[in-house]
């Protein structure tokens, strides 16, 4: 096939970019290479989504402080010209015309033939000349500069990345479909990498992806991005060493828009993207970060067992980088400081705001970042629109709830646990896949169990009921694809491929908070789908009872689509965080020397190993748990109840036996407020106060309100308020509100007086019923007498509402957070009748109560 060769355009990478008009007018026919800074987002048809985005950021966001490594794009026209000059263009597409992508063997053979032909053909002379001229310009003066290094004289090391013309669109990410080649250095290596990158438009996974997403093969071309490498492989340099990872401007599980989520690991970033490591995770709250607060609301330490580093320049990617183990000391420390995480988050918000402004609608972003180990500089190396949750919300997707049905006669013990991806449940026969050679055994509806997934596995993933991996974080390949396909996925189990038997029936549950769990057998589950926009606004503000921060952002999304259905959080129990997130008695962290068992002391130190001290471990973990819920519902109120363990429950914590007395009736013993000013626990309460102060002052989450449980007398209330003030939590200062639980008859009788001490009441109907009726609520023999709807209990509730409203100016607020309104809709209707100010419910009870209280007065 004879074609006229286009004229080679002059390469000038230093000329300032003109104002962008039509793409063709700016880049021009025959321009096979163009500098990133001459490219804008309008140039997707010419340079693909990835390169257009890099150019857009360099042009528009560099002046705002966002750092992006320089480079150039080999245009889609160069790709088309390469196929034509090689005489294979028509042959390539003819191979795909009648290909059945469900036939994995035929798919693999056809794709391999196409890639081999494209990679083997020499670049057209005009294309090669322009590429090498641009490379020489990029290399000039780069020796020792930041964001890339040189090996042979005048040859900068670069990343060679694919950028498809249908890529990084708001409706399809094409993430991971084509190849990336790292540490490419020298003209011959670059030539080979560019051709290999062009050929990767025809990987098995890319072919399948286009078919399933309705893209014609001929309509998609490939541009190649050549970008200076950031030396994130260099260890122990400035700022602790090089690292890299991913970043999303929303919560990747729920789609909540209020946070930036950052994953990171040592070395080059491909280990995070491909799921080869369990990375560190950081959450930054947008609103308070914009206000200048240190709003890293959560950090999780990953094991980061391996890292990808330079292995010398090579013509093949496998020879240019290598995987090496990470030293134990580095695995135990975070890859980013809080300052670094905040810098990256601010850049991510700048990128998001820019793209949202350009599109005229909210555009959450999916970014990749890297930190140079030599200089400590941070860079954004890729940016694309996020395509899973943004599309789900745009289409009005239901707010889905999955729940395992109770049963089995005891507590279920998971086979393995990891990080939950997608709040769903799936059941099927486990198929352990150790390599691509095992994939042909996989059948529709099975559960894929693997060390990690590979992009080439996507045709098989579409058949899966669920996915479980040994390695990977919430932004690895397995997680991204599972979200896109609506599959429950548990990543980072550590031992799934060993603990789960091939052929074993399992249930994969991602509906129990942060932790994903795999259970033996087929466990029945319930599924409910609710459009949040259809939830009516109740005539009484409805709040939620929450304990697990892992569910907070998912439930907080009700605020985005629920039309005001959720007014905030009426009860967050600190003891859940202490038992599940910390697991150690606070006093054992203050006085580990009092813990007699040396093995227990060692375990306490092991749990706190990544923190500067034992007490900092408690404060930071508790602060992060509270902050995650505070951020999820910001700026709505979040009422956080200080710890209300009973002595027998406290004793069950690690190291707790040394600090707790034995009581005959812990339910009415040393609990709640009575502990906070007592010498036996005062130092533990100081840690709780330090965590709340960090959340409110350092992180800026002033929507957090604290609440005192089981406060028996007015003098006890004053003692607790004084103790709080010692630790910087002074009522009224910086908008600080303090509520008290109303769960003791004395709280009701003296409601006017308690109302002068505190800003609000929250009725704990469980304890109030227990103490009003004289019934131990844990007694199996007296369950027939325990009823929150008893006339005496209702009289107590009605009394406190009336007294509080009469005494305060403005009236003292009264809410309820006990179980009764969640369990009985008629009780909720009665509460509305007597004028209660808010009702806090278990999340699964919210829709029913909202409908009940929107229907008119109760009976």
């Amino acid at each position: 096939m004879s074609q006229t060769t286009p004229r080679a355009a002059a390469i000038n990478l230093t000329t300032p970019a003109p104002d962008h008009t039509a793409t063709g007018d700016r880049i021009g026919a025959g321009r096979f290479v163009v500098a990133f800074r001459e490219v804008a987002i309008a140039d997707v048809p010419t340079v693909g989504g990835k390169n257009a985005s890099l150019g857009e950021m360099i042009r528009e966001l560099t002046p705002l402080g966002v750092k992006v490594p320089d480079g150039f794009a080999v245009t889609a026209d160069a790709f088309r010209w390469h196929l034509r000059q090689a005489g294979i263009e028509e042959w390539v597409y003819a191979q795909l015309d009648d290909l059945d992508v469900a036939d994995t063997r035929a798919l693999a053979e056809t794709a391999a033939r196409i890639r081999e032909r494209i990679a083997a053909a020499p670049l057209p002379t005009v294309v090669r000349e322009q590429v090498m001229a641009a490379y020489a310009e990029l290399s000039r003066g780069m020796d020792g500069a930041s964001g890339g290094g040189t090996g042979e004289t005048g040859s900068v090391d670069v990343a060679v990345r694919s950028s498809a013309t249908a890529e990084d669109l708001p409706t399809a990410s094409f993430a991971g479909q084509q190849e990336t080649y790292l540490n490419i250095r020298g003209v011959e290596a670059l030539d080979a990498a560019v051709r290999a990158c062009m050929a990767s438009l025809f990987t098995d996974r890319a072919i399948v992806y286009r078919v399933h997403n309705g893209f014609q093969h001929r309509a998609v071309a490939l541009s190649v991005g050549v970008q200076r490498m950031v030396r994130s492989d260099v260890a122990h340099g400035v700022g602790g060493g090089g690292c890299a990872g991913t970043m999303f401007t929303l919560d990747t599980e729920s789609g909540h828009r209020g946070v930036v989520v950052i994953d990171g690991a040592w070395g080059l970033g491909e280990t995070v993207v491909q799921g080869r490591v369990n990375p560190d995770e950081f959450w930054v709250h947008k609103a308070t970060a914009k206000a200048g607060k240190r709003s890293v609301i959560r950090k999780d330490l990953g094991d980061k067992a391996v890292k990808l580093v330079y292995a010398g320049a090579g013509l093949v990617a496998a020879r240019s980088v290598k995987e090496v183990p990470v030293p134990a000391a580095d695995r135990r420390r975070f890859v980013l400081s809080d300052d670094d995480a905040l810098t990256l988050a601010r850049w991510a918000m700048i990128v998001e705001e820019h793209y949202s402004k350009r599109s005229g609608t909210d555009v959450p972003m999916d970014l990749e970042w890297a930190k140079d180990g030599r200089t400590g500089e941070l860079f954004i190396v890729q940016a694309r629109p996020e395509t899973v949750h943004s599309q789900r919300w745009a289409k009005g997707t239901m707010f889905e709830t999955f729940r395992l049905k109770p049963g089995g006669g005891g507590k279920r013990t998971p086979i393995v646990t990891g990080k939950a991806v997608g709040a769903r449940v799936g059941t099927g026969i486990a198929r352990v896949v150790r390599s691509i050679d095992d994939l042909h055994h996989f059948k529709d509806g099975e559960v894929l169990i693997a060390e990690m997934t590979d992009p080439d596995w996507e045709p098989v993933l579409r058949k899966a009921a669920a996915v479980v991996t040994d390695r990977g974080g919430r932004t690895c390949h397995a997680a991204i694809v599972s979200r896109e396909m609506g599959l429950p996925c548990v990543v980072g189990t550590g031992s799934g491929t060993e603990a789960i038997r091939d052929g074993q029936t399992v249930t994969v549950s991602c509906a129990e908070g942060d932790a994903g769990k795999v259970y033996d057998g087929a466990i029945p589950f319930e599924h409910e789908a609710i459009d949040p926009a259809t939830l009516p606004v109740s005539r009484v503000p409805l709040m939620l009872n929450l304990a697990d921060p892992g569910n907070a952002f998912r439930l907080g999304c009700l605020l985005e689509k629920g039309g005001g259905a959720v007014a905030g959080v009426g009860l967050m129990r600190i003891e859940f965080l202490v038992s599940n997130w910390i697991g150690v008695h606070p006093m054992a962290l203050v006085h580990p020397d009092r813990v007699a068992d040396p093995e227990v002391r060692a375990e306490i130190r092991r749990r706190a190993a990544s923190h500067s001290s034992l007490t900092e471990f408690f404060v930071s973990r508790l602060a992060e748990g509270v902050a995650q819920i505070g951020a999820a519902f910001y700026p709505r109120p979040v009422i956080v109840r200080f710890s209300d363990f009973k002595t027998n429950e406290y004793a069950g914590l690690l190291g707790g036996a040394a600090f707790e007395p034995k009581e005959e009736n812990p339910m009415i013993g040393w609990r709640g407020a009575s502990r906070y000013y007592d010498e036996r626990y005062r130092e533990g309460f100081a840690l709780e106060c330090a965590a709340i102060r960090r959340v409110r002052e350092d992180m800026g989450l002033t929507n957090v309100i604290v609440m005192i449980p089981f406060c028996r007398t007015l003098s006890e209330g004053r003692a607790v308020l004084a103790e709080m003030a010692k630790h910087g939590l002074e009522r009224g200062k910086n908008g600080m509100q303090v509520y008290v639980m109303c769960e003791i008859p004395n709280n009701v009788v003296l409601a006017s007086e308690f109302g002068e001490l505190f800003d609000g009441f929250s009725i704990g109907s469980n304890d109030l019923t227990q103490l009003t009726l004289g019934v131990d609520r844990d007694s199996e023999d007296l369950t027939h007498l325990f009823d929150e709807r008893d006339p005496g209990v209702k009289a107590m509730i009605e009394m406190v509402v009336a007294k509080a409203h009469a005494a305060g100016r403005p009236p003292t607020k009264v809410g309820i957070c006990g179980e009764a309104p969640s369990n009985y809709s008629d009780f909720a209707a009665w509460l509305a009748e007597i004028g209660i100010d808010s009702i806090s419910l278990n999340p699964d009870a919210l829709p029913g109560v909202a409908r009940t209280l929107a229907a008119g007065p109760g009976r």
Side-chain angles (χ1 to χ4, degrees):
M1 178 168 54
S2 175
Q3 298 284 343
T4 303
T5 303
R7 177 180 57 85
I11 302 296
N12 182 357
L13 298 183
T14 60
T15 303
D19 292 336
H20 48 279
T21 54
T23 300
D25 293 340
R26 286 197 305 107
I27 294 179
R31 189 87 181 269
F32 290 131
V33 173
V34 60
F36 282 160
R37 58 181 167 272
E38 295 183 78
V39 172
I41 201 65
D43 296 321
V44 170
T46 302
V47 297
K50 191 175 290 136
N51 289 337
S53 187
L54 288 169
E56 181 80 11
M57 288 192 294
I58 288 174
R59 290 163 58 94
E60 305 291 343
L61 304 184
T62 297
L64 302 181
V66 179
K67 293 184 179 180
V68 181
D70 202 3
F72 57 89
V74 184
T75 67
D77 282 343
F79 165 81
R80 297 185 183 99
W81 188 245
H82 176 58
L83 265 59
R84 288 171 190 163
Q85 284 293 91
I88 59 175
E89 182 180 28
E90 292 305 319
W91 174 84
V92 166
Y93 295 111
Q95 300 298 299
L96 301 173
D97 284 343
D98 298 318
L99 178 65
D100 178 6
V101 296
D103 184 342
T104 55
R105 187 181 299 276
L107 170 67
E109 292 173 352
T110 300
R113 283 198 306 271
I114 293 172
R115 292 195 302 272
E116 184 179 359
R117 294 280 300 269
I118 295 173
L123 286 175
T125 301
V126 64
V127 174
R128 179 181 164 91
E129 287 176 352
Q130 291 188 23
V131 168
M132 298 313 160
Y135 182 53
E137 180 73 18
L138 187 66
S139 300
R140 196 166 295 133
M142 281 306 303
D143 196 13
S146 64
T150 58
E152 58 194 78
T153 302
S155 296
V156 66
D157 43 309
V158 294
V160 178
R161 306 180 187 274
S162 62
S163 181
T165 57
E167 186 175 56
D168 298 349
L169 303 176
T171 56
S173 71
F174 280 75
Q177 301 307 312
Q178 289 82 223
E179 300 292 355
T180 291
Y181 300 96
L182 304 176
N183 184 25
I184 301 301
R185 189 184 310 144
V187 294
E188 295 307 320
L190 178 59
D191 183 304
V194 167
R195 287 181 281 120
C197 210
M198 289 178 172
S200 73
L201 185 63
F202 301 98
T203 60
D204 302 13
R205 59 190 181 267
I207 293 169
V208 172
Y209 192 92
R210 289 195 293 272
V211 170
H212 282 292
N213 285 276
F215 288 90
Q216 296 295 320
H217 295 299
R218 295 172 185 267
V220 181
L222 190 124
S223 171
V224 178
V226 179
Q227 185 180 39
R228 285 195 285 110
M229 285 287 295
V230 177
R231 291 303 304 271
S232 59
D233 66 306
V234 176
H236 304 296
V238 175
C243 52
T246 61
M247 181 162 54
F248 287 79
T249 62
L250 46 61
D251 175 51
T252 52
E253 293 314 300
S254 67
H256 194 289
R257 305 295 172 81
V259 289
V260 175
V261 179
I262 305 168
D263 279 5
W266 301 115
L268 303 175
E270 292 300 294
T271 56
V272 176
V273 175
Q274 295 175 0
R276 300 190 67 81
V277 296
N278 296 339
D280 294 343
E281 295 183 345
F282 306 80
W283 282 258
V284 177
H285 184 231
K286 290 179 181 176
T288 49
K290 289 177 182 177
K293 297 294 184 179
R294 298 187 63 78
S295 53
V296 180
I297 61 171
R298 179 175 169 186
K299 295 189 294 187
D300 283 350
L301 186 71
D303 65 7
K304 309 178 294 291
V306 296
K307 65 179 178 178
L308 205 62
V309 300
Y310 277 20
L315 300 181
V316 181
R319 299 213 309 267
S320 61
V321 293
K322 63 182 179 181
E323 197 174 88
V324 298
V326 173
D330 289 342
R331 294 174 64 177
R332 291 193 296 267
R333 65 188 181 100
F334 287 101
V335 298
L336 292 174
S337 66
D338 283 4
D339 286 337
D340 283 342
L342 288 166
T343 295
L344 287 172
R346 291 186 186 112
W347 287 358
M349 289 185 284
I350 290 171
V351 174
E352 180 181 53
E353 288 169 6
H354 176 76
Y355 280 78
S356 297
K357 184 177 180 180
R358 280 194 62 93
S359 68
T361 187
D362 182 28
V363 180
M365 298 297 293
D366 167 1
L367 307 98
E368 295 181 24
W369 61 271
K371 181 178 180 180
D372 194 300
R374 301 164 306 169
T375 66
E377 290 179 280
L378 292 164
F379 294 89
I380 301 294
V381 297
Q382 284 192 45
R384 61 171 69 90
E386 192 275 343
T387 59
V388 177
H389 286 294
S390 56
Q391 287 304 299
R392 197 168 287 170
W393 280 114
K395 295 173 183 175
T397 300
M398 300 295 99
F399 179 79
E400 294 184 287
T401 302
F402 288 77
R403 291 180 296 274
L404 296 180
K405 290 184 177 180
K411 185 178 180 181
R412 296 187 180 103
T413 301
I415 305 169
V416 292
T417 62
K419 294 176 181 177
V421 176
R424 293 172 168 270
V425 177
T427 298
I429 294 173
R431 186 63 59 206
V432 179
V433 176
R434 302 188 186 279
S435 73
I436 196 168
D437 295 331
D438 297 332
L439 287 178
H440 69 279
H441 296 299
F442 194 87
K443 298 181 177 65
D444 285 2
E446 293 185 332
V447 176
L448 178 67
I449 315 292
E451 183 180 5
M452 61 183 184
T453 65
D454 186 276
D456 285 325
W457 296 14
E458 286 185 30
V460 168
L461 284 171
R462 293 182 179 276
K463 304 175 183 178
V467 178
V468 179
T469 69
D470 290 350
R471 295 196 274 173
R474 280 185 248 266
T475 59
C476 72
H477 171 264
I480 290 172
V481 173
S482 294
R483 281 190 206 100
E484 197 165 306
M485 297 180 182
L487 301 176
C489 174
V490 180
V491 297
T493 64
S495 60
T497 55
E498 300 302 324
I500 300 170
R501 302 188 312 275
D502 196 67
Q504 178 180 8
T505 297
V506 296
T507 297
V508 179
S509 173
C510 296
E512 301 173 73
D514 253 0
K517 302 175 182 179
V518 183
Y519 298 100
D520 182 37
I523 299 173
F525 60 90
E526 299 171 338
H527 172 225
E528 183 180 14
I530 301 169
D531 185 347
T534 67
L535 289 178
V537 177
S538 167
R539 51 200 167 94
V540 177
L542 300 182
M543 306 178 84
L544 294 178
N545 295 334
L546 284 186
D548 184 2
N551 283 324
F553 288 113
R554 183 176 63 86
L555 293 168
C557 284
L558 284 170
L559 298 179
E560 295 185 47
K561 289 283 186 177
V566 180
V569 174
L571 176 63
M572 177 193 175
R573 303 174 179 90
I574 273 183
E575 56 266 23
F576 177 92
L577 297 176
V578 174
S579 60
N580 290 279
W581 277 43
I582 298 169
V584 182
H585 195 289
M587 293 299 290
L589 294 165
V590 178
H591 296 290
D593 52 298
R594 297 186 192 173
V595 178
D597 189 333
E599 291 185 7
V600 173
R601 290 199 304 270
E603 174 60 18
I604 290 172
R605 295 188 186 284
R606 186 195 67 77
R607 293 193 186 195
S610 62
H611 295 78
S612 58
S613 67
L614 296 181
T615 54
E616 172 59 22
F617 163 64
F618 184 94
V619 172
S620 64
R621 288 294 286 168
L622 183 55
E624 288 168 10
V626 171
Q628 194 165 340
I629 294 180
F633 289 86
Y634 185 87
R636 271 79 167 178
V638 172
I639 302 172
V640 177
R641 189 180 73 186
F642 283 117
S643 63
D644 191 26
F645 283 119
K646 288 72 178 175
T647 50
N648 58 324
E649 295 168 338
Y650 260 124
L653 295 171
L654 200 63
F659 301 94
E660 297 298 326
K662 293 188 183 299
E663 295 184 307
E664 291 300 322
N665 193 347
M667 190 68 75
I668 55 172
W670 189 41
R671 60 176 285 199
S674 61
R675 300 179 67 94
Y676 304 156
Y677 55 90
D678 192 302
E679 289 299 332
R680 292 173 293 174
Y681 188 74
R682 177 176 271 144
E683 292 166 297
F685 183 61
L687 299 183
E688 295 185 35
C689 290
I692 295 296
R693 187 174 180 182
R694 183 174 296 183
V695 170
R696 286 181 50 84
E697 296 183 10
D698 296 352
M699 300 179 186
L701 292 165
T702 53
N703 60 319
V704 168
I705 297 168
V706 295
M707 184 158 64
I708 310 302
F710 223 77
C711 185
R712 293 172 168 95
T713 67
L714 295 170
S715 61
E716 186 163 74
R718 295 186 190 100
V720 171
L721 290 171
E723 198 69 25
M724 290 173 58
K726 285 182 190 176
H727 303 298
L729 296 181
E730 184 176 346
R731 182 188 171 206
K733 186 177 180 180
N734 192 27
M736 180 78 187
Q737 294 187 63
V738 184
Y739 281 33
V740 66
M741 292 287 292
C742 178
E743 50 195 342
I744 300 168
N746 202 34
N747 302 143
V748 179
V749 174
L750 299 178
S752 299
E753 292 81 355
F754 274 101
E756 293 176 3
L757 286 180
F758 297 99
D759 297 291
F761 293 92
S762 184
I763 300 168
S765 60
N766 297 343
D767 270 322
L768 186 60
T769 301
Q770 172 177 246
L771 296 175
T772 299
L773 300 181
V775 174
D776 183 344
R777 73 190 208 201
D778 286 343
S779 171
E780 294 182 7
D781 296 330
L782 299 176
T783 54
H784 63 288
L785 294 175
F786 188 91
D787 188 351
E788 298 100 318
R789 297 168 295 176
D790 183 273
V793 178
K794 292 176 76 173
M796 299 290 272
I797 293 173
E798 193 164 4
M799 188 187 305
V800 74
V801 171
K803 282 191 171 188
H805 286 176
R809 293 291 180 270
T812 304
K813 293 181 178 178
V814 183
I816 188 168
C817 60
E819 294 290 326
S822 293
N823 294 335
Y824 310 110
S825 59
D826 60 331
F827 192 86
W830 174 78
L831 290 169
E833 281 186 6
I834 67 171
I836 200 154
D837 296 302
S838 65
I839 299 174
S840 195
L841 305 159
N842 298 330
D844 59 356
L846 176 73
V849 174
R851 294 177 183 125
T852 295
L853 297 187
R859 296 181 182 272

